[in-house]
């Protein structure tokens, strides 16, 4: 694929990713008030988060596998349409069970968007530029998460349902743009891949344990757990401990997201070229662990801002580093590998908030202690694996 065509495809993928992530983020500030119209609150919100991640977990491997056999483009378009219509269904729901069904389909749509996009980046970038492509896709993801809540808060002034209509329209526009302008490179399917076409979720998960990048998938699960741990308790933590206002909490979250976008856009490629993805993963696991713990003991606004920003930046570097390393080790099974990445990430997103919320009620510091210990444990496992697999990792640096 020509350079101009490659860049255009990458930019369109970034736009699609931004739309999807902004659509997820823009409903965050209005959810308490919206759920209040159904007479429910925190528990229902927790279930809505969990069911979204559960759907991602179920359908991400399927989406990756289908994109390997039928091409990325059609799967991405289907995902955008399902995601957009699910947002509309959420806004039109009149019963609580309808919200759960709509959110499940939002997770379904998201699963059909993210893994094929990651695999698409691998298709249209060279081996040496894979990190740049993954970094830009990650930056658009972070930017969507960061800007989405602000858009949602602004649009909710028109009406409580308007942000959902906006998300629907944006997703359907992205689907149309993809239909007419996104290239459709055909993945090369080996005979072995063709035989695996009918694998179910559990067979795919079992096979993932035998891949050369299984430990890196575990890293994806663990840092997703740590990030979800932070995201699900942070606002509660600073509210309970310091009585911070929503605007102060927004500053704490937004600054970290903004720094993360800058790092993913401008810093990540030089880091990968100089140190390699594995070293970036190991260093940032340690930084994430200690900065997460430091948040619990910070007592001033600027120290909390600093430690939260360091933690967010570390996790921002971890995601594209993991994505790039797995992509380099996956060979021709880019869709399958991307599906597994999203599945392991979704597991972390499901389990993290559930455990964090439970132990937060016992002691508000416990989620941060647990998060630190799990991240450090993951560092130990990953460092041991990296030492044993130096020849394999060397191929990802020299190709």
């Amino acid at each position: 694929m020509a350079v101009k065509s490659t860049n255009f495809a990458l930019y369109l993928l970034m736009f699609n990713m931004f739309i999807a992530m902004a659509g997820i983020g823009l409903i965050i500030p209005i959810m308490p008030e919206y759920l209040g119209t159904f007479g429910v609150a925190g528990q229902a919100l927790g279930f809505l988060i969990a069911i979204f991640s559960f759907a991602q977990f179920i359908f991400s491997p399927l989406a990756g596998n289908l994109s390997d056999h039928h091409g990325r483009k059609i799967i991405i378009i289907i995902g955008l349409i399902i995601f957009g219509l699910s947002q509309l269904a959420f806004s039109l729901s009149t019963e609580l069970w309808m919200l759960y069904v709509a959110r499940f389909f939002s997770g379904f749509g998201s699963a059909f968007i993210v893994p094929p996009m990651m695999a698409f980046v691998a298709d249209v970038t060279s081996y040496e530029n894979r990190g740049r492509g993954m970094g830009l896709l990650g930056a658009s993801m972070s930017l969507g998460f960061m800007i989405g809540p602000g858009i949602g808060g602004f649009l909710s002034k028109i009406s409580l349902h308007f942000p959902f209509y906006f998300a629907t329209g944006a997703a359907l526009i992205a689907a149309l743009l993809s239909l007419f302008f996104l290239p459709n490179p055909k993945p090369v399917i080996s005979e072995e891949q063709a035989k695996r076409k009918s694998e179910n979720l559990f067979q795919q998960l079992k096979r993932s344990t035998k891949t050369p990048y299984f430990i890196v998938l575990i890293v994806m699960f663990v840092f997703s757990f740590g990030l979800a741990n932070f995201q699900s308790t942070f606002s509660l933590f600073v509210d309970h401990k310091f009585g911070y206002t929503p605007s102060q909490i927004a500053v704490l979250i937004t600054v970290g997201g903004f720094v993360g976008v800058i790092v993913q856009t401008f810093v990540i490629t030089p880091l990968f070229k100089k140190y390699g993805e594995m070293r970036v993963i190991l260093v940032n696991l340690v930084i994430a662990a200690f900065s997460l713990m430091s948040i619990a003991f910070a007592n001033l606004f600027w120290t909390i801002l600093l430690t939260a920003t360091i933690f967010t930046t570390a996790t921002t570097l971890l995601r594209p580093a993991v994505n790039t390393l797995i992509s380099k080790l996956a060979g021709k099974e880019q869709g399958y590998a991307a599906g597994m990445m999203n599945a392991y990430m979704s597991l972390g997103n499901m389990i993290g908030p559930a455990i964090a919320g439970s132990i937060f009620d016992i002691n508000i510091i416990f989620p941060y202690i647990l998060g630190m210990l799990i991240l450090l444990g993951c560092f130990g496992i990953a460092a041991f694996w990296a030492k044993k697999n130096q020849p394999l990792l060397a191929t990802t640096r020299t190709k």
Side-chain angles (χ1 to χ4, degrees), residues 306-324:
L306 177 63
T307 51
T309 299
I310 292 172
F311 173 78
T312 303
T313 304
T315 55
T316 295
L317 284 167
L318 276 166
R319 190 186 303 277
V322 169
N323 291 343
T324 304

Side-chain angles (χ1 to χ4, degrees), residues 50-66:
I51 202 168
F52 180 91
S53 297
F54 179 64
Q56 278 191 314
F57 170 66
I58 292 175
F59 293 110
S60 289
L62 174 64
N65 203 28
L66 287 174

Side-chain angles (χ1 to χ4, degrees), residues 246-299:
S247 59
Q248 288 175 305
I249 295 171
V251 169
L252 292 172
I253 295 172
T254 303
V255 169
F258 181 71
V259 172
V261 170
I262 293 174
V263 166
Q264 284 183 313
T265 305
F266 300 107
V267 179
I268 203 157
T269 301
L271 280 178
F272 286 175
K273 287 182 177 178
K274 186 170 183 179
Y275 300 108
E277 292 84 9
M278 195 67 216
R279 189 173 295 180
V280 172
I281 290 170
L282 293 174
V283 169
N284 282 284
L285 279 171
V286 175
I287 293 173
F290 286 109
S291 57
L292 184 63
M293 190 68 245
S294 298
I295 293 170
F297 295 101
N299 289 312

